[in-house]
Amino acid sequence: MSRRLGLGAFAAGLLAAVLSALVRATTPLSEFDVPNADLLLSKGLSAAAVALVAYGVYRFLTAFLVARIADRRRAHDVRNVLRLTLGVLALVGVLGAFTDQWLGVLVSFGVIGFAVTFALQQPILSFIGWFYILVKRPYAVGDRVNIGSVSGDVAEVDFLVTTLWETGGPLASNQPTGRTVTVPNSLVLSSEVVNYGALFDRVWTEVPVQVSYETDLPFVRQLLLDVADEELGDDTDAAMRRYRARLAESPLDLDVADGPTVNVAQEESWVVFRLRVLVPPTRAQRVKNRLYERVLDRLGDHPDRVSFPVSRNR
């Protein structure tokens, strides 16, 4: 559909260009009581030809170039660059067709651009932010991010704004809320940006479990590691290999564990075990839910070795 629409627009543009040349070459239009009617018609056809050809080229490149890019994030960026480049060229071409002063149009663009810089500072900063996102890639479509006080999955990165599918928000869990949030791209230049998948496709998360002081603590620690290995064993092993390979490419010198670990903390009336595992950023809560269910079932099978706190402070 996109290919046929592009070819149709391109053909219509060429036809408009031919008609414009014919109007210029033929006798002036006398049946219209409009001064220079033939000249106005010719310029209008020339402007339409430029716009249609530009649109046809955009559709053609989208169908044959962008559609062949396997990476959806890169395809999104290439599509935006094509829209911007061909849109600017089409605007210059249309104005040039009407004025017959191509150089003057370009000079006017520079003067007008300088004048509107003071009036449109925020949109200009957002456009610069888009260019920064395109080049430095602090995030891309599909990433789960925090931008300032907003968190969500990046759905679209446009010239001026980034659209997020919100996560968290009024929900206690860090899951999608069903709402979208539009964030100006200028925020990447003035606020912190947290990308959950920037290092690689996993993040560390913790599953806290509270038990009483009378519990067999070494037993609970080993039970948590066993559950994590049963639930995430193969996936964790593959993720750790990718994690180590990514760290080897960076200047960081970190001591990385071989797999899930358990941290223990002493609280006022209980002991907290925090099972630390690698999970996909967008499925962290689902993984934690599965781990909670299996851990509680396994702990409940050993009432002689495991007890839970009953203090009102819990």
Side-chain angles (χ1 to χ4, degrees):
M1 179 63 182
S2 179
R3 183 192 315 173
R4 283 180 292 179
L5 185 61
L7 290 175
F10 191 82
L14 293 181
L15 178 60
V18 171
L19 291 176
S20 174
L22 289 175
V23 170
R24 285 178 180 268
T26 56
T27 305
L29 301 176
S30 57
E31 62 270 22
F32 295 103
D33 189 19
V34 178
N36 299 321
D38 55 337
L39 183 60
L40 291 176
L41 179 59
S42 175
K43 289 184 176 182
L45 288 172
S46 297
V50 171
L52 288 170
V53 168
Y55 182 74
V57 170
Y58 169 73
R59 285 291 184 177
F60 186 82
L61 291 177
T62 300
F64 281 92
L65 177 61
V66 179
R68 298 175 186 273
I69 300 176
D71 189 342
R72 290 188 300 171
R73 303 178 181 185
R74 184 59 61 187
H76 181 273
D77 292 339
V78 172
R79 189 181 299 110
N80 276 342
V81 171
L82 286 176
R83 286 170 53 195
L84 177 64
T85 303
L86 292 173
V88 171
L89 291 177
L91 181 59
V92 172
V94 168
L95 294 177
F98 273 113
T99 62
D100 287 330
Q101 297 291 331
W102 298 91
L103 182 60
V105 169
L106 294 176
V107 172
S108 298
F109 262 44
V111 174
I112 294 173
F114 179 78
V116 302
T117 297
F118 298 99
L120 301 175
Q121 294 185 25
Q122 190 61 42
I124 291 173
L125 284 176
S126 291
F127 182 80
I128 294 173
W130 170 76
F131 188 75
Y132 173 81
I133 295 168
L134 189 68
V135 175
K136 299 296 291 184
R137 300 186 71 80
Y139 57 79
V141 172
D143 288 346
R144 176 158 292 186
V145 298
N146 287 348
I147 305 176
S149 60
V150 180
S151 64
D153 299 319
V154 179
E156 184 178 3
V157 182
D158 214 333
F159 302 126
L160 300 180
V161 298
T162 293
T163 302
L164 303 179
W165 288 356
E166 185 190 41
T167 58
L171 303 180
S173 60
N174 192 31
Q175 291 180 301
T177 66
R179 306 187 303 188
T180 61
V181 182
T182 301
V183 179
N185 291 336
S186 58
L187 276 183
V188 301
L189 305 175
S190 59
S191 300
E192 67 278 4
V193 176
V194 180
N195 189 332
Y196 290 82
L199 185 60
F200 77 129
D201 59 349
R202 293 292 188 274
V203 293
W204 290 103
T205 191
E206 290 185 339
V207 179
V209 177
Q210 301 171 353
V211 296
S212 69
Y213 282 105
E214 293 75 25
T215 296
D216 185 345
L217 302 184
F219 171 77
V220 173
R221 181 180 183 279
Q222 187 58 48
L223 184 147
L224 293 176
L225 291 174
D226 291 342
V227 169
D229 184 65
E230 294 168 7
E231 185 70 26
L232 307 172
D234 294 338
D235 182 77
T236 297
D237 292 341
M240 289 304 303
R241 287 194 294 271
R242 295 195 301 273
Y243 190 21
R244 292 179 183 279
R246 182 67 180 87
L247 287 175
E249 299 172 356
S250 74
L252 299 176
D253 184 13
L254 299 178
D255 183 16
V256 181
D258 294 330
T261 59
V262 175
N263 298 320
V264 184
Q266 176 184 353
E267 300 292 342
E268 181 180 352
S269 301
W270 59 87
V271 176
V272 179
F273 286 86
R274 299 187 183 275
L275 175 62
R276 191 167 184 262
V277 294
L278 278 172
V279 296
T282 58
R283 299 199 300 271
Q285 189 61 45
R286 277 180 282 177
V287 173
K288 291 172 68 174
N289 290 342
R290 297 202 311 267
L291 289 173
Y292 270 124
E293 292 174 1
R294 297 195 63 170
V295 165
L296 293 177
D297 285 344
R298 294 282 293 274
L299 292 177
D301 293 338
H302 303 276
D304 56 325
R305 307 182 71 175
V306 180
S307 61
F308 297 97
V310 294
S311 170
R312 293 181 181 273
N313 294 328
R314 182 170 183 261

